[in-house]
Amino acid sequence: MAQIQAGYEAVVELTRGGIVECVHFGAMAVVDSVGNVLASLGDPNLVTFPRSSMKPLQAIPFVEDGGPEHFGLTEEELAILCASHHGTDEHVRVLRSIHAKVGLKEADLQCGVHWPSDKATVLAMRERGEEPTPYRHNCSGKHSGMLAQALLHDYSKSTYLSMENPLQQRILKTVAQMCDVKPEEMPVGIDGCSAPVFAMPLRSFALAMARLADPVGLGEMRATACKQITHAMMTYPEMVAGPGALDTVLMHVMQGKAVVKGGAEGYQMLSLMPGACGRNSPGIGVAIKISDGDPNRRATYAIVVGLLKALGFGDEMQSEAFSNFNTPKLKNWRGLEIGEIRLARPIEITKTW
C-alpha cells in the first residue's frame, strides 16, 4: 500500500500482470458554492499553485470593469482571454482581432515564444517556413486581456506583469476574494509565461471555482462578470484549449453544465453549474493536483472520469466523444490488453442538495 506523502495520497494505479506497477499521488478538493467540502483526496488544504487553471479568475477585473464592452470584444474573444490555447491559426485570428480593437501590437506581449501544441499547426507552419511568434504562445490570450486592462485604466503597459503595477494588485485582490483568503496569505510565484501566479489551498481554489459557476452573494458586478466568463468559455470551448484537448472536449460533452480549465504540473479545475447535478444542486468547484506533474495527463483523466461518474455523469463519460479520455484498459503497441488504469480508492460524494 502506497503511503501518503506531503499532503498527497495514492490516487491512481496502473497494473500489469495483476499487480500494481505504477502509482500516481495526488490531492483533490470538491467544494460547493457556500464552502461545504463534498469530497476530497489527500489533504484538501494542500497549498499549491493552480497555474493556468487560475486564468478565468485573472480575467474577472477586466470583465467587471466593462472591458469587453468598452473595446467591443465578442464572447469568442473573451473566451481566449481565459485560455491555454493550442496556437492554431484560428486562435491567432481571434488574438489579432482583439489587438486591432484594443490598439495593441504583438510586440506588447511579454509571454515569450514557443511552438504551438497543436501538431497539425506545427506541420503546416514548418511547410510554410513560418517561425512561431508570441501569438502562438498558449498564454497570449491572458496577456492580451491584461494589456487591455492596463489600457482601460491607463496603467503602465510596459510593466503590466510587475506586482508593483496596480493591474496585478487588482488581480491579486480579486483572486483572494474569490478564494476567501487574505492576499498576504497567498504565496506569489512567476508562471511559465512570466505572469504572476498565486498559491492557495486546494479547498480555497475549489471554492473560487464553485463561486465562478454560482456567484451567490458576491455582489451584482462580480456575479455578472462570473456569468459572462463562464458563458463565453462554455460557448467557445475551442478557444479555451484546442482540438482534442480535455478542456475543450469535456465542455462540449457536458453541454453547458461545466467549465473546465487545466494548468501545468498536474493541476486541473472544473466548475459545475447550478442544477448540473440534479434539481437544486449548487455550483460545485473542483481542484485536482497530481504530485508528479502528470506529464501525459493519464492520472488527471482517470480522476476526472471517476469524479464525474460519482456525480451522475456516467453517460457523458461513456460517450464516443469522450472515449479518448476514458480508457481504463491499458494496451501495448500491438493492441494487446496488458492491465488497467484505475482509481486507488472510490470517490465518495457528500451531497448537500
Side-chain angles (χ1 to χ4, degrees):
M1 182 75 180
Q3 298 297 312
I4 296 176
Q5 300 177 356
Y8 296 103
E9 70 168 273
V11 291
V12 173
E13 301 173 338
L14 281 74
T15 70
R16 186 185 302 268
I19 67 170
V20 174
E21 182 178 47
C22 178
V23 177
H24 288 281
F25 287 79
M28 178 185 73
V30 182
V31 178
D32 68 19
S33 53
V34 295
N36 297 307
V37 176
L38 310 182
S40 65
L41 297 171
D43 183 2
N45 293 309
L46 177 71
V47 176
T48 187
F49 290 100
R51 303 295 296 274
S52 285
S53 290
M54 197 172 73
K55 287 176 179 176
L57 300 186
Q58 290 169 301
I60 288 176
F62 177 62
V63 179
E64 204 168 37
D65 293 348
E69 293 78 13
H70 179 83
F71 292 112
L73 302 188
T74 65
E75 276 202 307
E76 184 180 40
E77 290 164 344
L78 174 55
I80 207 170
L81 303 189
C82 307
S84 295
H85 67 79
H86 284 196
T88 68
D89 292 348
E90 275 296 286
H91 294 128
V92 172
R93 173 189 63 80
V94 174
L95 288 163
R96 284 177 173 157
S97 175
I98 293 171
H99 281 216
K101 291 177 179 180
V102 175
L104 295 170
K105 298 178 181 178
E106 187 175 15
D108 293 325
L109 294 169
Q110 297 178 24
C111 52
V113 178
H114 63 64
W115 283 95
S117 53
D118 183 67
K119 293 181 180 179
T121 300
V122 172
L123 290 174
M125 289 174 63
R126 286 176 172 163
E127 288 178 1
R128 297 193 298 259
E130 179 184 343
E131 293 292 320
T133 68
Y135 277 149
R136 302 285 180 179
H137 192 289
N138 75 96
C139 296
S140 55
K142 176 181 75 175
H143 283 249
S144 296
M146 290 178 175
L147 283 163
Q149 176 78 340
L151 291 179
L152 184 66
H153 293 291
D154 199 27
Y155 299 148
S156 168
K157 189 172 67 173
S158 62
T159 63
Y160 76 95
L161 296 182
S162 170
M163 281 305 300
E164 303 303 316
N165 194 304
L167 164 67
Q168 295 299 338
Q169 287 296 317
R170 174 78 183 285
I171 292 173
L172 172 64
K173 182 178 179 181
T174 300
V175 173
Q177 290 170 341
M178 291 292 290
C179 292
D180 198 23
V181 298
K182 296 178 181 178
E184 60 269 21
E185 294 176 349
M186 295 196 302
V188 179
I190 300 174
D191 216 329
C193 65
S194 299
V197 62
F198 317 126
M200 70 287 292
L202 289 171
R203 178 177 181 170
S204 300
F205 191 74
L207 172 62
M209 293 303 99
R211 286 173 163 176
L212 184 71
D214 187 13
V216 291
L218 298 186
E220 184 177 353
M221 289 180 59
R222 178 65 49 84
T224 299
C226 290
K227 291 175 182 178
Q228 282 183 256
I229 288 169
T230 55
H231 191 269
M233 293 177 71
M234 290 187 293
T235 304
Y236 292 96
E238 298 87 354
M239 288 294 111
V240 177
L246 174 66
D247 296 351
T248 296
V249 174
L250 185 52
M251 281 192 279
H252 274 302
V253 167
M254 295 294 285
Q255 298 183 341
K257 295 179 180 179
V259 171
V260 190
K261 183 71 196 72
E265 299 297 347
Y267 209 100
Q268 182 68 50
M269 81 81 159
L270 292 85
S271 293
L272 293 168
M273 307 303 289
C277 298
R279 187 177 179 181
N280 298 323
S281 66
I284 295 173
V286 181
I288 301 167
K289 169 67 176 176
I290 308 301
S291 66
D292 63 3
D294 200 19
N296 58 16
R297 305 281 281 163
R298 62 190 183 188
T300 298
Y301 299 161
I303 293 175
V304 167
V305 169
L307 173 64
L308 289 177
K309 283 183 176 180
L311 286 167
F313 299 104
D315 289 345
E316 288 83 352
M317 296 300 93
Q318 295 296 334
S319 67
E320 183 178 353
F322 203 67
S323 59
N324 287 340
F325 305 99
N326 184 14
T327 55
K329 301 300 182 183
L330 296 174
K331 296 181 179 181
N332 66 10
W333 293 106
R334 286 183 57 206
L336 301 177
E337 187 175 312
I338 52 87
E340 63 179 333
I341 182 168
R342 65 194 187 194
L343 295 179
R345 67 175 175 90
I347 296 173
E348 298 179 356
I349 306 295
T350 302
K351 291 187 176 182
T352 57
W353 59 95

